[in-house]
Amino acid sequence: MDTPLSHDDLLARLGRLAHQAIGLYDLSPRSTATMINLSENATYRIDDPESGGKAILRIHRVGYHSYAAINSELQWMAALRRDAGMETPEAIPARDGTVIQTLVGRELKDPRHAVMSKFMAGREPQEDELLAPFERLGEVSARMHAHAKIWQLPPGFTRHTWDYETSLGSRPIWGRWQDGIGMTLAREKVLGRMSALIGQRLQRYGKARERFGLTHADIRLANLLIEGTHTKVIDFDDCGFSWYFYDLGTALSFIEHRPDVPALVDAWVRGYRRVAPLAAAEEAELPTFIMLRRLLLVAWIGSHAETDLAKSLGEPYTEGSCGLAEAYLSKFG
């Protein structure tokens, strides 16, 4: 049986794999790879001292997405740039002309897919200045949804589906929410009542074409870049088929407890309605999508306990979810 790698060992081996990948591109051999994020994937900033250029290298986690699914992600991002004028990551072909590389390292058991993208300038919105970014995010989300509703999926297009069963139900992609950090019988009881209510409401809401389709599915603060009046959307790694307004739930990831959430939702709705209609029945269901995401993140934290983000949230996130669940149940139960 293979001995599991320590976190530091894994980081070191991934770093060497990133430097190996540099040789596949038109980059100086003196280029450096600096890790900027390790979550589902390992993401690096590539700096070429000879050209002064920068790029972003993503080394995909083993077993999360197939080659076809990664290619589908790249196809949608390209279509959004071409058809909707959106600013999304643009893949850089390697020397062999392909945009998805399969990296094989002697130190790692399994091959890993990797994509190099052009560097995008901008900064993540700050948590003390969210009203204006959320209004702009509403507009951006509406443009993405409008595009998804008319875009003809290319042959072989495949992405995850984020519905009740694959989020909170019998086939959870990110693991069971019941295995969240710090779960107790009392917490499982209240969260279970909320999960059941979410399932009932989503079943009534339905999956009609105008309500359910291709979404970013992780359009949170960390996946936005603000540059002047431009709002750029990055990290489409979780993009897939879901309810369109699940995107609002993902925008509020990890901040669902803030007292200004109603104001942020109002700002998002204002921005959305400047681009596309949002019916009253859909607006009334927005709290369900917020709590769907919250409980899904309880599952994610439990199944990704080794990540820095999960460690920083831990049991308090599960505990805080119970208070939000009680409020949701009192309003809709």
Side-chain angles (χ1 to χ4, degrees):
M1 181 180 292
D2 294 331
T3 303
L5 289 177
S6 71
H7 185 64
D8 289 343
D9 243 353
L10 177 61
L11 290 181
R13 295 184 186 196
L14 285 171
R16 288 190 283 273
L17 193 64
H19 280 93
Q20 175 185 320
I22 288 172
L24 302 174
Y25 295 84
D26 288 324
L27 295 165
S28 156
R30 295 174 53 223
S31 297
T32 60
T34 304
M35 177 173 278
I36 56 177
N37 184 50
L38 176 64
S39 181
E40 298 292 348
N41 312 303
T43 306
Y44 297 84
R45 188 188 73 241
I46 307 299
D47 293 280
D48 187 337
E50 292 189 7
S51 69
K54 298 179 182 179
I56 297 294
L57 174 68
R58 176 202 279 173
I59 299 178
H60 284 261
R61 184 178 183 172
V62 174
Y64 191 57
H65 286 309
S66 65
Y67 185 101
I70 296 168
N71 188 55
S72 298
E73 172 193 351
L74 298 177
Q75 287 175 312
W76 191 36
M77 289 192 297
L80 285 168
R81 291 193 304 275
R82 181 186 66 242
D83 304 336
M86 295 191 61
E87 297 179 75
T88 64
E90 182 177 353
I92 300 172
R95 288 196 177 104
D96 65 4
T98 64
V99 292
I100 304 174
Q101 295 297 304
T102 301
L103 307 179
V104 180
R106 285 182 294 180
E107 295 183 305
L108 293 167
K109 178 181 177 182
D110 300 299
R112 294 175 182 247
H113 298 306
V115 175
M116 189 85 74
S117 300
K118 293 182 179 180
F119 182 82
M120 299 177 72
R123 63 178 179 85
E124 179 183 329
Q126 300 302 302
E127 290 200 6
D128 59 353
E129 53 169 19
L130 292 186
L131 279 179
F134 258 75
E135 194 161 337
R136 288 156 63 183
L137 179 56
E139 294 183 27
V140 168
S141 298
R143 288 167 61 195
M144 292 175 68
H145 297 166
H147 179 269
K149 290 175 182 179
I150 62 173
W151 187 48
Q152 191 72 34
L153 298 182
F157 190 94
T158 179
R159 295 297 298 176
H160 285 319
T161 293
W162 300 100
D163 60 11
Y164 180 80
E165 288 303 316
T166 58
S167 298
L168 308 182
S170 61
R171 296 178 286 110
I173 294 171
W174 282 349
R176 296 171 358 114
W177 63 262
Q178 294 91 334
D179 297 326
I181 296 176
M183 191 64 66
T184 64
L185 288 175
R187 290 169 181 171
E188 186 173 341
K189 183 177 180 180
V190 68
L191 294 177
R193 288 171 52 216
M194 180 175 73
S195 177
L197 181 58
I198 289 171
Q200 293 164 13
R201 295 187 69 87
L202 290 177
Q203 186 172 18
R204 288 198 299 268
Y205 187 77
K207 294 181 179 179
R209 181 178 175 83
E210 66 272 14
R211 290 183 169 181
F212 194 97
L214 190 56
T215 64
H216 183 283
D218 193 25
I219 198 163
R220 56 195 173 95
L221 301 180
N223 292 334
L224 299 179
L225 291 174
I226 304 296
E227 185 183 30
T229 60
H230 295 261
T231 301
K232 307 173 186 181
V233 185
I234 62 173
D235 195 352
F236 282 66
D237 188 49
D238 290 320
C239 74
F241 301 97
S242 189
W243 292 278
Y244 289 116
F245 296 116
Y246 172 64
D247 270 344
L248 171 62
T250 73
L252 293 165
S253 294
F254 309 118
I255 62 170
E256 306 93 339
H257 60 284
R258 286 175 43 143
D260 61 346
V261 162
L264 296 178
V265 171
D266 287 346
W268 188 93
V269 168
R270 280 197 306 275
Y272 197 96
R273 283 185 168 139
R274 274 202 287 271
V275 176
L278 196 166
E282 293 166 331
E283 184 176 3
E285 209 58 69
L286 294 180
T288 295
F289 296 112
I290 295 170
M291 296 314 298
L292 169 65
R293 176 65 169 188
R294 176 80 185 203
L295 194 50
L296 179 55
L297 290 176
V298 171
W300 185 91
I301 291 167
S303 62
H304 293 70
E306 77 285 358
T307 65
D308 290 338
L309 179 56
K311 290 175 183 176
S312 70
L313 294 164
E315 183 173 353
Y317 194 81
T318 302
E319 182 181 19
S321 299
C322 294
L324 293 172
E326 292 283 14
Y328 178 79
L329 288 164
S330 67
K331 182 175 183 180
F332 294 104

